[in-house]
PDB file of all heavy atoms in Angstrom:
ATOM      1  N   ILE A 180     -16.892   3.473  -3.570  1.00 95.00           N
ATOM      2  CA  ILE A 180     -15.531   4.008  -3.682  1.00 95.00           C
ATOM      3  C   ILE A 180     -14.552   2.893  -3.348  1.00 95.00           C
ATOM      4  O   ILE A 180     -14.615   2.297  -2.273  1.00 95.00           O
ATOM      5  CB  ILE A 180     -15.317   5.192  -2.722  1.00 95.00           C
ATOM      6  CG1 ILE A 180     -16.377   6.267  -2.952  1.00 95.00           C
ATOM      7  CG2 ILE A 180     -13.919   5.772  -2.885  1.00 95.00           C
ATOM      8  CD1 ILE A 180     -16.510   7.253  -1.799  1.00 95.00           C
ATOM      9  N   LEU A 181     -13.639   2.600  -4.265  1.00 92.00           N
ATOM     10  CA  LEU A 181     -12.635   1.544  -4.079  1.00 92.00           C
ATOM     11  C   LEU A 181     -11.258   2.183  -3.993  1.00 92.00           C
ATOM     12  O   LEU A 181     -10.744   2.705  -4.993  1.00 92.00           O
ATOM     13  CB  LEU A 181     -12.700   0.547  -5.231  1.00 92.00           C
ATOM     14  CG  LEU A 181     -14.027  -0.201  -5.393  1.00 92.00           C
ATOM     15  CD1 LEU A 181     -14.128  -0.824  -6.777  1.00 92.00           C
ATOM     16  CD2 LEU A 181     -14.172  -1.265  -4.321  1.00 92.00           C
ATOM     17  N   ASP A 182     -10.638   2.162  -2.805  1.00 89.00           N
ATOM     18  CA  ASP A 182      -9.360   2.817  -2.570  1.00 89.00           C
ATOM     19  C   ASP A 182      -8.224   1.798  -2.650  1.00 89.00           C
ATOM     20  O   ASP A 182      -8.087   0.952  -1.769  1.00 89.00           O
ATOM     21  CB  ASP A 182      -9.379   3.498  -1.195  1.00 89.00           C
ATOM     22  CG  ASP A 182      -8.101   4.266  -0.898  1.00 89.00           C
ATOM     23  OD1 ASP A 182      -7.328   4.519  -1.837  1.00 89.00           O
ATOM     24  OD2 ASP A 182      -7.872   4.596   0.281  1.00 89.00           O
ATOM     25  N   GLU A 183      -7.413   1.881  -3.705  1.00 86.00           N
ATOM     26  CA  GLU A 183      -6.284   0.949  -3.920  1.00 86.00           C
ATOM     27  C   GLU A 183      -6.730  -0.497  -3.678  1.00 86.00           C
ATOM     28  O   GLU A 183      -6.138  -1.213  -2.870  1.00 86.00           O
ATOM     29  CB  GLU A 183      -5.119   1.307  -2.995  1.00 86.00           C
ATOM     30  CG  GLU A 183      -4.472   2.643  -3.283  1.00 86.00           C
ATOM     31  CD  GLU A 183      -3.612   2.634  -4.551  1.00 86.00           C
ATOM     32  OE1 GLU A 183      -3.365   1.555  -5.103  1.00 86.00           O
ATOM     33  OE2 GLU A 183      -3.200   3.721  -4.976  1.00 86.00           O
ATOM     34  N   PRO A 184      -7.745  -0.974  -4.377  1.00 86.00           N
ATOM     35  CA  PRO A 184      -8.333  -2.276  -4.054  1.00 86.00           C
ATOM     36  C   PRO A 184      -7.450  -3.478  -4.349  1.00 86.00           C
ATOM     37  O   PRO A 184      -7.676  -4.555  -3.804  1.00 86.00           O
ATOM     38  CB  PRO A 184      -9.600  -2.309  -4.909  1.00 86.00           C
ATOM     39  CG  PRO A 184      -9.286  -1.426  -6.071  1.00 86.00           C
ATOM     40  CD  PRO A 184      -8.432  -0.330  -5.507  1.00 86.00           C
ATOM     41  N   THR A 185      -6.438  -3.329  -5.220  1.00 85.00           N
ATOM     42  CA  THR A 185      -5.629  -4.497  -5.601  1.00 85.00           C
ATOM     43  C   THR A 185      -4.245  -4.489  -4.978  1.00 85.00           C
ATOM     44  O   THR A 185      -3.398  -5.313  -5.339  1.00 85.00           O
ATOM     45  CB  THR A 185      -5.472  -4.561  -7.134  1.00 85.00           C
ATOM     46  OG1 THR A 185      -4.737  -3.409  -7.577  1.00 85.00           O
ATOM     47  CG2 THR A 185      -6.820  -4.601  -7.825  1.00 85.00           C
ATOM     48  N   SER A 186      -3.978  -3.585  -4.049  1.00 76.00           N
ATOM     49  CA  SER A 186      -2.610  -3.414  -3.530  1.00 76.00           C
ATOM     50  C   SER A 186      -2.062  -4.666  -2.869  1.00 76.00           C
ATOM     51  O   SER A 186      -0.854  -4.875  -2.831  1.00 76.00           O
ATOM     52  CB  SER A 186      -2.562  -2.247  -2.541  1.00 76.00           C
ATOM     53  OG  SER A 186      -3.415  -2.475  -1.444  1.00 76.00           O
ATOM     54  N   ALA A 187      -2.933  -5.524  -2.331  1.00 73.00           N
ATOM     55  CA  ALA A 187      -2.460  -6.741  -1.655  1.00 73.00           C
ATOM     56  C   ALA A 187      -3.008  -8.005  -2.309  1.00 73.00           C
ATOM     57  O   ALA A 187      -3.030  -9.071  -1.695  1.00 73.00           O
ATOM     58  CB  ALA A 187      -2.854  -6.704  -0.177  1.00 73.00           C
ATOM     59  N   LEU A 188      -3.452  -7.903  -3.586  1.00 77.00           N
ATOM     60  CA  LEU A 188      -4.074  -9.043  -4.253  1.00 77.00           C
ATOM     61  C   LEU A 188      -3.125  -9.698  -5.250  1.00 77.00           C
ATOM     62  O   LEU A 188      -2.262  -9.040  -5.838  1.00 77.00           O
ATOM     63  CB  LEU A 188      -5.347  -8.613  -4.985  1.00 77.00           C
ATOM     64  CG  LEU A 188      -6.445  -7.939  -4.165  1.00 77.00           C
ATOM     65  CD1 LEU A 188      -7.697  -7.785  -5.025  1.00 77.00           C
ATOM     66  CD2 LEU A 188      -6.754  -8.707  -2.893  1.00 77.00           C
ATOM     67  N   THR A 189      -3.310 -10.993  -5.457  1.00 76.00           N
ATOM     68  CA  THR A 189      -2.573 -11.703  -6.500  1.00 76.00           C
ATOM     69  C   THR A 189      -3.243 -11.435  -7.845  1.00 76.00           C
ATOM     70  O   THR A 189      -4.310 -10.823  -7.923  1.00 76.00           O
ATOM     71  CB  THR A 189      -2.568 -13.216  -6.230  1.00 76.00           C
ATOM     72  OG1 THR A 189      -3.915 -13.706  -6.321  1.00 76.00           O
ATOM     73  CG2 THR A 189      -2.009 -13.534  -4.854  1.00 76.00           C
ATOM     74  N   GLU A 190      -2.642 -11.956  -8.914  1.00 79.00           N
ATOM     75  CA  GLU A 190      -3.195 -11.769 -10.261  1.00 79.00           C
ATOM     76  C   GLU A 190      -4.589 -12.381 -10.363  1.00 79.00           C
ATOM     77  O   GLU A 190      -5.518 -11.757 -10.885  1.00 79.00           O
ATOM     78  CB  GLU A 190      -2.257 -12.392 -11.288  1.00 79.00           C
ATOM     79  CG  GLU A 190      -2.738 -12.239 -12.722  1.00 79.00           C
ATOM     80  CD  GLU A 190      -1.761 -12.814 -13.728  1.00 79.00           C
ATOM     81  OE1 GLU A 190      -0.857 -13.558 -13.304  1.00 79.00           O
ATOM     82  OE2 GLU A 190      -1.910 -12.524 -14.920  1.00 79.00           O
ATOM     83  N   SER A 191      -4.742 -13.603  -9.872  1.00 81.00           N
ATOM     84  CA  SER A 191      -6.045 -14.271  -9.982  1.00 81.00           C
ATOM     85  C   SER A 191      -7.092 -13.576  -9.113  1.00 81.00           C
ATOM     86  O   SER A 191      -8.263 -13.475  -9.504  1.00 81.00           O
ATOM     87  CB  SER A 191      -5.917 -15.743  -9.575  1.00 81.00           C
ATOM     88  OG  SER A 191      -5.475 -15.866  -8.231  1.00 81.00           O
ATOM     89  N   GLU A 192      -6.685 -13.088  -7.938  1.00 82.00           N
ATOM     90  CA  GLU A 192      -7.608 -12.364  -7.061  1.00 82.00           C
ATOM     91  C   GLU A 192      -8.030 -11.039  -7.686  1.00 82.00           C
ATOM     92  O   GLU A 192      -9.186 -10.618  -7.559  1.00 82.00           O
ATOM     93  CB  GLU A 192      -6.955 -12.130  -5.697  1.00 82.00           C
ATOM     94  CG  GLU A 192      -6.804 -13.392  -4.870  1.00 82.00           C
ATOM     95  CD  GLU A 192      -5.932 -13.204  -3.640  1.00 82.00           C
ATOM     96  OE1 GLU A 192      -5.152 -12.228  -3.602  1.00 82.00           O
ATOM     97  OE2 GLU A 192      -6.013 -14.031  -2.724  1.00 82.00           O
ATOM     98  N   THR A 193      -7.096 -10.395  -8.369  1.00 86.00           N
ATOM     99  CA  THR A 193      -7.414  -9.144  -9.066  1.00 86.00           C
ATOM    100  C   THR A 193      -8.430  -9.391 -10.169  1.00 86.00           C
ATOM    101  O   THR A 193      -9.382  -8.619 -10.350  1.00 86.00           O
ATOM    102  CB  THR A 193      -6.134  -8.510  -9.647  1.00 86.00           C
ATOM    103  OG1 THR A 193      -5.242  -8.172  -8.575  1.00 86.00           O
ATOM    104  CG2 THR A 193      -6.456  -7.253 -10.447  1.00 86.00           C
ATOM    105  N   GLU A 194      -8.246 -10.486 -10.918  1.00 88.00           N
ATOM    106  CA  GLU A 194      -9.198 -10.829 -11.978  1.00 88.00           C
ATOM    107  C   GLU A 194     -10.586 -11.093 -11.402  1.00 88.00           C
ATOM    108  O   GLU A 194     -11.601 -10.709 -11.999  1.00 88.00           O
ATOM    109  CB  GLU A 194      -8.697 -12.041 -12.757  1.00 88.00           C
ATOM    110  CG  GLU A 194      -7.585 -11.729 -13.739  1.00 88.00           C
ATOM    111  CD  GLU A 194      -7.987 -10.667 -14.743  1.00 88.00           C
ATOM    112  OE1 GLU A 194      -9.116 -10.739 -15.273  1.00 88.00           O
ATOM    113  OE2 GLU A 194      -7.185  -9.754 -14.984  1.00 88.00           O
ATOM    114  N   LYS A 195     -10.642 -11.736 -10.247  1.00 86.00           N
ATOM    115  CA  LYS A 195     -11.930 -11.993  -9.595  1.00 86.00           C
ATOM    116  C   LYS A 195     -12.584 -10.678  -9.180  1.00 86.00           C
ATOM    117  O   LYS A 195     -13.795 -10.486  -9.365  1.00 86.00           O
ATOM    118  CB  LYS A 195     -11.725 -12.889  -8.370  1.00 86.00           C
ATOM    119  CG  LYS A 195     -13.020 -13.239  -7.639  1.00 86.00           C
ATOM    120  CD  LYS A 195     -13.966 -14.054  -8.506  1.00 86.00           C
ATOM    121  CE  LYS A 195     -15.211 -14.458  -7.770  1.00 86.00           C
ATOM    122  NZ  LYS A 195     -16.175 -15.173  -8.626  1.00 86.00           N
ATOM    123  N   LEU A 196     -11.780  -9.764  -8.629  1.00 89.00           N
ATOM    124  CA  LEU A 196     -12.306  -8.456  -8.253  1.00 89.00           C
ATOM    125  C   LEU A 196     -12.861  -7.726  -9.472  1.00 89.00           C
ATOM    126  O   LEU A 196     -13.953  -7.143  -9.424  1.00 89.00           O
ATOM    127  CB  LEU A 196     -11.213  -7.616  -7.592  1.00 89.00           C
ATOM    128  CG  LEU A 196     -11.577  -6.163  -7.294  1.00 89.00           C
ATOM    129  CD1 LEU A 196     -12.705  -6.078  -6.263  1.00 89.00           C
ATOM    130  CD2 LEU A 196     -10.365  -5.375  -6.830  1.00 89.00           C
ATOM    131  N   PHE A 197     -12.127  -7.759 -10.573  1.00 92.00           N
ATOM    132  CA  PHE A 197     -12.583  -7.089 -11.792  1.00 92.00           C
ATOM    133  C   PHE A 197     -13.888  -7.696 -12.298  1.00 92.00           C
ATOM    134  O   PHE A 197     -14.752  -6.979 -12.827  1.00 92.00           O
ATOM    135  CB  PHE A 197     -11.510  -7.166 -12.876  1.00 92.00           C
ATOM    136  CG  PHE A 197     -10.358  -6.217 -12.664  1.00 92.00           C
ATOM    137  CD1 PHE A 197      -9.297  -6.173 -13.548  1.00 92.00           C
ATOM    138  CD2 PHE A 197     -10.332  -5.363 -11.573  1.00 92.00           C
ATOM    139  CE1 PHE A 197      -8.242  -5.295 -13.361  1.00 92.00           C
ATOM    140  CE2 PHE A 197      -9.285  -4.490 -11.363  1.00 92.00           C
ATOM    141  CZ  PHE A 197      -8.229  -4.459 -12.270  1.00 92.00           C
TER     142      PHE A 197
END
Side-chain angles (χ1 to χ4, degrees):
I180 305 162
L181 299 163
D182 183 15
E183 294 287 350
T185 64
S186 60
L188 303 189
T189 65
E190 181 178 14
S191 61
E192 289 169 341
T193 297
E194 283 303 316
K195 181 63 177 176
L196 173 64
F197 284 179

